[in-house]
Amino acid sequence: MDVVTGLSKAADQANPSIKESRRWIEGYERVAELAARCPGHRLIYTGDRESDFYDLLKRAQALDYPADLLIRAQHNRALGDDLKLWDAIEQQQALTRITFTKPRKQGEKARKVVQEIKVLRYTLRPKSKHPMLLTLVQAKEINPPAGKSPLIWRLVTNRCVETADAACELIDWYRARWEIEMFFDVLKVGCRVEKLQLDTKERIEKALALYIMVAWRIMFLMRLGRTCPELPAELVFDPLEWKVSFRLGKKALPDGIPTLNQVIRNLAELGGFLGRKCDGEPGAKSIWLGYSRVLDCIYGIQMASELGEGLICV
């Protein structure tokens, strides 16, 4: 969402005067402004394949890289002498390997992925344009399952990557981008911020500040439930919240304080999570849908109390 105008991305696409590429450049410029106010920190601007275009690289170079770039490469650019970028990176020696579990997605089970890491420092020389020195970091899956294409990430950065640890750090930064994508999915789909009908910039900013906290809390619950499942639920939830989560799911209240994972699974089941062995841990969407049901119920309890009906026991 464009905070200044209040227009959605779809609305911008209908306006031929606004180019998607301009969004990426403006985003980098805003990060550069923030970097000027944080001289003790090094910021990094991460983008998907849509951001792999020369004008963004050129703008970052012109500003002298106040923030680092880390962009998923889309274009197999020519390097001269009939050599292209993908072929050049394949000729490099592998620095190391990394192993992680790729989460399941619709129609595909979770699986272990082993990737080989290679790095190439190269000079991009577009015709009639200024050359620039860049680094390509490639993480390519070795021995993928039969019938599956190898998982490959090719990342372009202005940083000089001299060690395996430095290359792995960049890959970890890129992988963190999926967490950011999930956060904005909660913000846009769960909180529906693009549906706001507010007529001033100030009102939009205040609404976004509130919804950002809501989206953060959903993400926080999801991650905390996975990393610290045995924490007592009362550290995160109000007693009425966790009790309602049990009763809405037609479950008996526990004798003591339930664990955090128990309550989060209650919320997720209210949001459509089936809880089968193959389903893994709940995701953000089922948690926010279930939590909304719980909060609506609590609001009803409070309204009934205010109307003199008495507090409904849960």
Side-chain angles (χ1 to χ4, degrees), residues 200-227:
T200 67
K201 174 185 174 182
E202 289 73 22
R203 290 179 178 179
I204 292 172
E205 288 178 341
K206 288 178 181 178
L208 284 176
L210 176 63
Y211 282 121
I212 283 171
M213 289 189 288
V214 173
W216 172 85
R217 179 168 171 80
I218 296 298
M219 296 293 294
F220 173 73
L221 289 175
M222 183 188 71
R223 288 301 172 205
L224 195 63
R226 295 180 181 187
T227 56

Side-chain angles (χ1 to χ4, degrees), residues 36-212:
R37 302 198 298 269
C38 306
H41 299 79
R42 187 66 179 168
L43 305 186
I44 186 157
Y45 186 75
T46 304
D48 61 19
R49 281 177 278 223
E50 290 181 355
S51 63
D52 183 19
F53 60 95
Y54 180 76
D55 285 347
L56 174 59
L57 300 174
K58 177 183 175 182
R59 183 57 176 154
Q61 183 189 52
L63 294 173
D64 197 25
Y65 300 111
D68 288 321
L69 281 175
L70 185 63
I71 293 171
R72 181 138 182 209
Q74 176 179 208
H75 302 295
N76 187 13
R77 293 187 165 93
L79 299 180
D81 298 326
D82 296 324
L83 182 65
K84 289 199 168 183
L85 199 50
W86 295 178
D87 295 328
I89 191 71
E90 289 292 349
Q91 294 174 10
Q92 306 304 305
Q93 292 292 324
L95 288 181
T96 187
R97 290 181 178 180
I98 59 172
T99 303
F100 61 93
T101 299
K102 183 182 178 184
R104 69 177 184 88
K105 62 180 183 180
Q106 190 171 5
E108 195 174 295
K109 294 181 179 179
R111 63 183 175 89
K112 181 180 178 181
V113 174
V114 180
Q115 288 181 319
E116 196 170 62
I117 311 303
K118 295 183 178 182
V119 173
L120 172 69
R121 190 69 167 166
Y122 67 99
T123 301
L124 180 61
R125 302 180 187 276
K127 293 180 180 179
S128 304
K129 296 179 180 178
H130 296 294
M132 56 184 63
L133 190 60
L134 298 167
T135 301
L136 181 68
V137 178
Q138 176 178 278
K140 183 176 181 179
E141 184 178 10
I142 58 176
N143 300 321
K148 295 286 185 182
S149 299
L151 179 62
I152 304 176
W153 297 327
R154 297 185 181 99
L155 309 177
V156 174
T157 180
N158 60 292
R159 295 172 69 102
C160 183
V161 181
E162 298 179 339
T163 66
D165 287 344
C168 291
E169 182 179 44
L170 291 178
I171 294 167
D172 286 342
W173 288 353
Y174 182 75
R175 289 178 63 193
R177 184 176 136 323
W178 303 115
E179 197 82 8
I180 298 169
E181 292 279 351
M182 194 181 303
F183 169 81
F184 278 100
D185 186 56
V186 175
L187 188 63
K188 292 191 290 185
V189 180
C191 300
R192 296 184 291 182
V193 295
E194 291 183 332
K195 302 295 183 182
L196 294 175
Q197 297 185 16
L198 302 174
D199 56 0
T200 67
K201 174 185 174 182
E202 289 73 22
R203 290 179 178 179
I204 292 172
E205 288 178 341
K206 288 178 181 178
L208 284 176
L210 176 63
Y211 282 121
I212 283 171

Side-chain angles (χ1 to χ4, degrees), residues 229-247:
E230 299 304 317
L231 284 177
E234 63 181 357
L235 294 178
V236 178
F237 294 102
D238 181 87
L240 192 55
E241 289 179 331
W242 66 256
K243 289 179 182 180
V244 168
S245 79
F246 277 90
R247 296 309 297 268

